[in-house]
Amino acid sequence: MTPRVLFPSTDSTTNLPAAPITHLPFRRISLPSVPSSSLLSAQHRQSVASFASFDSLPEEPVVKRPKRRSLKRKQSRTPAPEDIAREAKRTKVIREFWDTERSYVQGLDLVHDHFLTPIIASLDSSRPLLTRTELTTIFSNFIDIWNFHHAFFSALTALLHPSLTHLDVPNPNPPPLSALLLSHFPYLSLYTPFITAFPSSISFLSRPPAPFAIFLRTQERDPRCGQLKLTDWLLSIVQRCPRYVLLLKELIHVERREKEGEGEWDRLGKALTLVEKVTSSLNTSLHAHAHTLSLLALQRATLGLPPTLHFVQPGRTLIFRAPLVIDSGGVAIEGPAIGRGRRDRICEFLLFDDILGMARLRSVHSARFPLVHSRGTCYR
């Protein structure tokens, strides 16, 4: 059998016929097809986490780690004995504050209902017990003080005793008082007119008119007065502000002071400063008014003064006043020999900021005088 494949030679010049093409066996080739819609949606789907799926999973057990023991000792929650004693003292002082305020308001009610109301009612009658001027001289602005303390006591009671059924039982844990005191104590300046007029009130009550004197004796015999006179009840009004000072000092002493920030101790100090300022102003007004009255009395009792000379005058201040005794030789004397000589002259020495006055008196009420006069120079 001759081979079908012929290799060409270099010597041949003729074109040989092409070899027949032999086909390989047919094999089916799979071409890529168009992807389905489900496949496309799967490729572009975004992953979304479901929290419900996590809840369905079993929780891992929590492993409790042992706590480390602190080297420091735990502080005991039991209060110290000194704290217990301080709190008991604080409760006692606050209770005393409320008790004294209640007693004071009851005394004001007695003056208002037992004395002032009948006098006011008599003003419209044909025979009034007092004139309106005399009524103002005795009571001044008592109504303002009475109204203020009723409001203050009501607020204090509401703070310390929210339940009005247990007023006689002390509150074992009273709340702070500073906010209430700071809101009410500025109105203590209402005492200034009353205290300024108090000397005139006592002077009038010492020599009352006959009809009013009978009325006073009748009212003061009432058992509700407790054997006290009207002057005693009016004196309790003058003494109320100094009483506040003592109570606040006791309360500050037992109150714990905060290390940082403004606490109850600091606010109580502000209330004390306010009351002390008002009390000092009241004392100054009372002293100045009493001094003015004494100078007016001396001027009325002194004869021979120039018509233009007045001891009490705007812009004139009394610096020093003392009695002075001059013997027959013109020398001021002191000690046991004062007033024994028949020719001793008893004078009143008045030193103002602009004038120097000396008034001769007829009698001496004291055996010792603090002033010695010699050659025109004054010594004390």
Side-chain angles (χ1 to χ4, degrees), residues 140-141 191-199 237-238 241 282-283 286 289:
S140 186
N141 65 328
Y191 277 80
T192 301
F194 183 88
I195 293 180
T196 303
F198 183 71
I237 301 177
V238 179
C241 286
L282 294 177
N283 292 336
L286 181 61
H289 186 68

Side-chain angles (χ1 to χ4, degrees), residues 4-296:
R4 291 180 177 272
V5 181
L6 298 178
F7 295 94
S9 61
T10 57
D11 296 334
S12 175
T13 57
T14 60
N15 293 332
L16 296 176
I21 300 174
T22 307
H23 297 280
L24 296 176
F26 176 76
R27 189 176 66 177
R28 186 175 182 178
I29 301 174
S30 58
L31 299 176
S33 60
V34 180
S36 62
S37 60
S38 60
L39 182 59
L40 289 175
S41 62
Q43 290 178 352
H44 298 280
R45 183 181 302 167
Q46 295 181 356
S47 176
V48 179
S50 175
F51 291 98
S53 61
F54 291 101
D55 296 337
S56 61
L57 297 177
E59 297 182 357
E60 296 182 359
V62 179
V63 180
K64 295 184 179 180
R65 297 180 180 179
K67 295 183 180 180
R68 295 181 180 180
R69 294 184 179 180
S70 177
L71 298 179
K72 297 181 180 180
R73 295 183 179 179
K74 295 182 178 180
Q75 297 180 355
S76 177
R77 295 184 179 180
T78 304
E82 56 270 17
D83 294 335
I84 298 177
R86 183 187 294 108
E87 189 63 27
K89 180 65 175 177
R90 176 179 176 272
T91 303
K92 181 180 178 181
V93 173
I94 292 179
R95 179 65 185 186
E96 183 180 359
F97 204 111
W98 185 83
D99 286 338
T100 56
E101 189 66 23
R102 178 176 63 173
S103 301
Y104 181 63
V105 171
Q106 290 174 352
L108 295 179
D109 289 339
L110 176 66
V111 174
H112 179 269
D113 300 337
H114 197 59
F115 293 98
L116 182 58
T117 301
I119 296 174
I120 294 177
S122 70
L123 293 176
D124 298 330
S125 63
S126 58
R127 295 182 179 181
L129 296 172
L130 295 173
T131 63
R132 296 186 181 274
T133 303
E134 293 171 339
L135 180 64
T136 305
T137 301
I138 297 176
F139 295 98
S140 186
N141 65 328
F142 170 83
I143 295 295
D144 298 332
I145 298 175
W146 179 66
N147 288 327
F148 163 72
H149 281 279
H150 266 279
F152 174 63
F153 181 65
S154 298
L156 183 64
T157 303
L159 179 65
L160 298 179
H161 301 281
S163 178
L164 300 179
T165 58
H166 303 286
L167 293 180
D168 294 331
V169 180
N171 189 344
N173 188 20
L177 299 182
S178 60
L180 178 67
L181 301 182
L182 289 174
S183 62
H184 285 79
F185 276 2
Y187 296 98
L188 291 178
S189 57
L190 290 171
Y191 277 80
T192 301
F194 183 88
I195 293 180
T196 303
F198 183 71
S200 301
S201 174
I202 298 301
S203 177
F204 181 83
L205 291 176
S206 63
R207 296 184 300 272
F212 183 65
I214 298 174
F215 168 78
L216 279 182
R217 287 195 298 267
T218 303
Q219 298 299 100
E220 290 171 352
R221 290 172 186 170
D222 193 288
R224 291 178 292 176
C225 292
Q227 299 180 352
L228 296 177
K229 298 181 179 181
L230 177 60
T231 54
D232 301 324
W233 291 107
L234 296 179
L235 180 62
S236 66
I237 301 177
V238 179
Q239 297 172 341
R240 187 55 188 168
C241 286
R243 181 61 175 167
Y244 283 141
V245 174
L246 297 177
L247 290 173
L248 282 174
K249 287 182 177 180
E250 293 183 10
L251 188 57
I252 291 174
H253 181 70
V254 298
E255 192 69 40
R256 183 186 296 275
R257 185 175 186 179
E258 299 293 337
K259 295 182 179 180
E260 297 180 359
E262 186 182 47
E264 179 68 6
W265 189 91
D266 302 282
R267 290 187 289 269
L268 288 175
K270 291 183 179 180
L272 176 61
T273 302
L274 177 62
V275 179
E276 287 179 337
K277 184 178 179 180
V278 172
T279 304
S280 177
S281 176
L282 294 177
N283 292 336
T284 302
S285 300
L286 181 61
H287 179 72
H289 186 68
H291 217 55
T292 301
L293 292 179
S294 64
L295 287 177
L296 290 175

